Amino acid sequence: MTGWLSVALLAVPLLGALVLLLAPGALRPVLRTYGLILSGVTLALALVMAATFDHGRPTSLQFAVDQPWIPGLGLRFHLGVDGISLPLIVLTALLTFLCFGYLSWGRPRTPSRFLGNRPRALVFTLLVLEVGMIGTFLALDLLLFFVFFEIVLIPMYFLIGIWGGAGRRAASVKFILYTLLGSVVMLLGLLLVWARTGTLDIAELAAAHGAGMSRSVQILAFVAIGVGLAVKTPMWPLHTWLPDAHTEAPTVGSVLLAGVLLKMGTYGFARIAIPVLPEGAAAVAPWLGAFAVAGIVYGALACLAQRDLKRMIAYSSVGHMGFVLLGFATLTPVGVNGALFANVAHGLITGLLFFLAGGIKDRYHTADMPSLGGGLLATMPRLGSVLTFAAIASLGLPGLAGFWGEMLALLGSFQPASGLPRALFRTYMVIGGLGAVLTAAYFVLMLSRVTHGRPSGAARRRQTPPEGETPDERPVVPLGSEETLAGQPATATLEVGHATQRIDDLRSYEVAAWTPLVVLIVLFGLWPGLLLSLTTPVAQTLLGALP
């Protein structure tokens, strides 16, 4: 198939954003479903790409477009898809569609309240963000990759700064400063590669395996490019922007930030840093592994100290992405496979966790775990059950998607690539295993605080009154009490002073938005070969020049 499909994946959200910008008034009546339709079309195109992808040749660049971009500088508009980028493109399109669905299906009578005080701007921002995210995974030119890599910064900055929480301004400024500084360093590394090789074509550079660059140049370029990628990943200690950004971002911003934007950093290691600079990768790998395991342990310990649910999930991402970096640091097909698998699994699981955290905060108006009072399984059993499922998936329970990436990364550390210090990487494996135990500890602690136990006085159960009887005529009893009325279904309420506010269990739009993530987490957990069949040949190819 020709490259029109790659172009269409970018054109649909881009043209949709331009129409919003140029003809805002004409779209006001359909604004509620406009973004949902466009993201749905983009998802359909991504699924067509996945269905027509030649799975027998995952190492080949398919759906390619290669046209002159800036001829005077030798720059080309080069796009393509292989076994590394295809799962991330589908993941991006899926999460964007689910975010639009979450916004569009909820609060049908007051779309402006759910979309925010600037609904047109929010739809525009999410569409531009989708262009940058998908473009990053399609780009096969170093400068084009950098352009798409940077496009996402501005819409995410506004997403946090306009629609975020009380500390949104400081969080958005911190996000943009960290990521821009990292991008400047990465650009210097990309220009060094260009100056030494005379080309920016990623496929050509990967095939050359570092030819034309000395070992010292490769190390310098790898460090520069790696720093820029590590900020976006984020790697400890360059992670400090992430907890604030996640805590203050709106629900859809947190989902896309964790589900896709962090993957752009780790994808850069697989697409550019390791195959283009193999000697640099081999030299820096022990240091990369050290920072990775430090992040695993640090992220787990930080989670144990958190009170805010969103902030805890944000710190958990530091630990989980540490496993991804550890897999890359092993420079083995097993480890790299684990990293690529963990990328997709983390996007699904953490996206679901942030959806759940947003749903809880929407009901209780707080994400502070002690203030929630516990007993979520008693007050809202369906919501509590989905939160429990997402937590045990994230801690790496066998049979769910979170298990395979961490297990393969640790297995790769047991037998790293030749030339790497085996004893050191086995130490990393032990430390990473300790981090996995701590991961289970903080998720169990979170569940004990939020889902288990008797609810506090803040959450109470109001019995549904018979027809003709007002709610105030029915008793309100503490949740978990045995003094309930037989045969009368209960709905949870939040007590504020002497008033009570009804809070529902799972809502229909939440079920619609979260069910695909639950299904995929189970599917990839039980059938990991679905992803590994794509990534294994590519991992072997990109490591072909390494010792």
Side-chain angles (χ1 to χ4, degrees):
M1 184 178 291
T2 61
W4 69 267
L5 201 51
S6 297
V7 175
L9 279 170
L10 297 176
V12 170
L14 179 59
L15 292 177
L18 291 176
V19 170
L20 266 178
L21 189 65
L22 299 176
L27 296 173
R28 189 172 292 115
V30 296
L31 184 60
R32 183 180 183 78
T33 58
Y34 182 73
L36 181 65
I37 293 171
L38 288 175
S39 60
V41 172
T42 306
L43 176 59
L45 292 171
L47 293 176
V48 170
M49 176 178 281
T52 56
F53 184 83
D54 187 350
H55 292 260
R57 299 185 302 112
T59 58
S60 301
L61 293 171
Q62 303 177 38
F63 311 101
V65 175
D66 190 5
Q67 297 294 327
W69 181 25
I70 307 176
L73 297 176
L75 304 179
R76 304 187 68 81
F77 188 78
H78 193 184
L79 307 175
V81 179
D82 65 0
I84 293 178
S85 54
L86 178 64
L88 294 173
I89 290 171
V90 176
L91 175 67
T92 301
L94 173 64
L95 287 178
T96 306
F97 174 72
L98 296 181
C99 285
F100 272 114
Y102 187 79
L103 293 173
S104 302
W105 294 324
R107 312 275 180 89
R109 291 174 296 184
T110 54
S112 63
R113 283 176 53 199
F114 208 20
L115 290 174
N117 56 352
R118 298 178 179 89
R120 180 173 65 90
L122 179 56
V123 174
F124 174 83
T125 300
L126 290 175
L127 289 174
V128 174
L129 186 62
E130 184 174 27
V131 173
M133 294 185 298
I134 292 179
T136 300
F137 301 131
L138 285 172
L140 292 175
D141 178 274
L142 287 180
L143 194 58
L144 187 62
F145 173 88
F146 181 79
V147 169
F148 283 121
F149 195 83
E150 295 303 292
I151 282 177
V152 302
L153 300 185
I154 301 304
M156 184 55 70
Y157 168 79
F158 285 114
L159 197 59
I160 299 170
I162 295 176
W163 294 279
R168 59 186 179 274
R169 295 187 183 277
S172 60
V173 170
K174 194 173 185 179
F175 164 77
I176 200 74
L177 288 178
Y178 266 77
T179 49
L180 280 178
L181 180 60
S183 297
V184 169
V185 178
M186 183 176 74
L187 180 60
L188 295 176
L190 297 178
L191 293 177
L192 177 59
V193 172
W194 186 20
R196 292 292 179 170
T197 62
T199 181
L200 289 167
D201 188 276
I202 294 176
E204 182 180 336
L205 288 167
H209 296 304
M213 291 181 284
S214 66
R215 185 175 184 272
S216 59
V217 169
Q218 288 194 40
I219 293 173
L220 182 60
F222 188 94
V223 170
I225 295 172
V227 166
L229 298 173
V231 171
K232 187 71 71 72
T233 297
M235 180 183 74
W236 180 91
L238 303 174
H239 69 284
T240 55
W241 61 269
L242 182 69
D244 292 335
H246 269 311
T247 303
E248 302 303 333
T251 298
V252 294
S254 294
V255 169
L256 293 176
L257 181 59
V260 182
L261 264 69
L262 305 189
K263 311 304 172 290
M264 292 167 57
T266 52
Y267 172 78
F269 281 100
R271 175 59 69 204
I272 299 172
I274 293 175
V276 173
L277 304 163
E279 291 187 59
V284 179
W287 295 97
L288 182 62
F291 285 117
V293 296
I296 292 170
V297 176
Y298 171 84
L301 293 176
C303 286
L304 287 169
Q306 299 308 307
R307 291 171 54 100
D308 187 277
L309 181 59
K310 289 188 70 175
R311 200 171 185 86
M312 190 215 78
I313 299 170
Y315 273 111
S316 76
S317 293
V318 177
H320 288 305
M321 300 316 287
F323 281 104
V324 175
L325 293 174
L326 179 61
F328 284 133
T330 67
L331 300 180
T332 62
V334 172
V336 171
N337 257 327
L340 297 174
F341 194 100
N343 252 351
V344 177
H346 179 266
L348 296 170
I349 297 170
T350 309
L352 178 59
L353 280 170
F354 274 115
F355 268 135
L356 287 160
I360 291 172
K361 190 171 183 178
D362 182 54
R363 289 165 170 82
Y364 289 96
H365 308 292
T366 182
D368 183 68
M369 288 185 281
S371 299
L372 293 175
L376 189 65
L377 283 170
T379 59
M380 288 173 278
R382 295 180 182 86
L383 182 63
S385 297
V386 179
L387 179 62
T388 302
F389 169 83
I392 63 174
S394 190
L395 62 83
L397 185 74
L400 298 176
F403 169 74
W404 296 103
E406 295 182 6
M407 187 271 291
L408 291 173
L410 294 176
L411 185 60
S413 300
F414 182 78
Q415 191 77 24
S418 60
L420 296 180
R422 185 169 301 177
L424 180 62
F425 272 84
R426 289 185 177 179
T427 303
Y428 293 161
M429 181 191 70
V430 173
I431 298 173
L434 174 63
V437 174
L438 292 174
T439 300
Y442 68 71
F443 272 115
V444 169
L445 179 62
M446 181 273 288
L447 292 174
S448 70
R449 288 177 172 178
V450 178
T451 62
H452 290 68
R454 285 179 175 269
S456 68
R460 296 179 177 274
R461 176 178 292 160
R462 178 182 296 280
Q463 302 301 326
T464 303
E467 186 175 354
E469 188 175 333
T470 65
D472 290 338
E473 294 170 342
R474 303 292 289 172
V476 177
V477 295
L479 283 168
S481 169
E482 300 300 326
E483 301 175 12
T484 56
L485 300 182
Q488 299 294 333
T491 59
T493 63
L494 181 67
E495 187 177 88
V496 182
H498 297 291
T500 55
Q501 174 186 342
R502 182 173 179 267
I503 49 177
D504 301 322
D505 205 338
L506 281 185
R507 298 157 181 164
S508 58
Y509 66 90
E510 292 172 334
V511 174
W514 302 348
T515 298
L517 299 179
V518 172
V519 171
L520 289 173
I521 291 168
V522 175
L523 178 64
F524 290 138
L526 296 177
W527 189 13
L530 195 64
L531 278 179
L532 294 177
S533 62
L534 286 174
T535 60
T536 299
V538 186
Q540 293 170 341
T541 300
L542 69 87
L543 294 172
L546 294 169

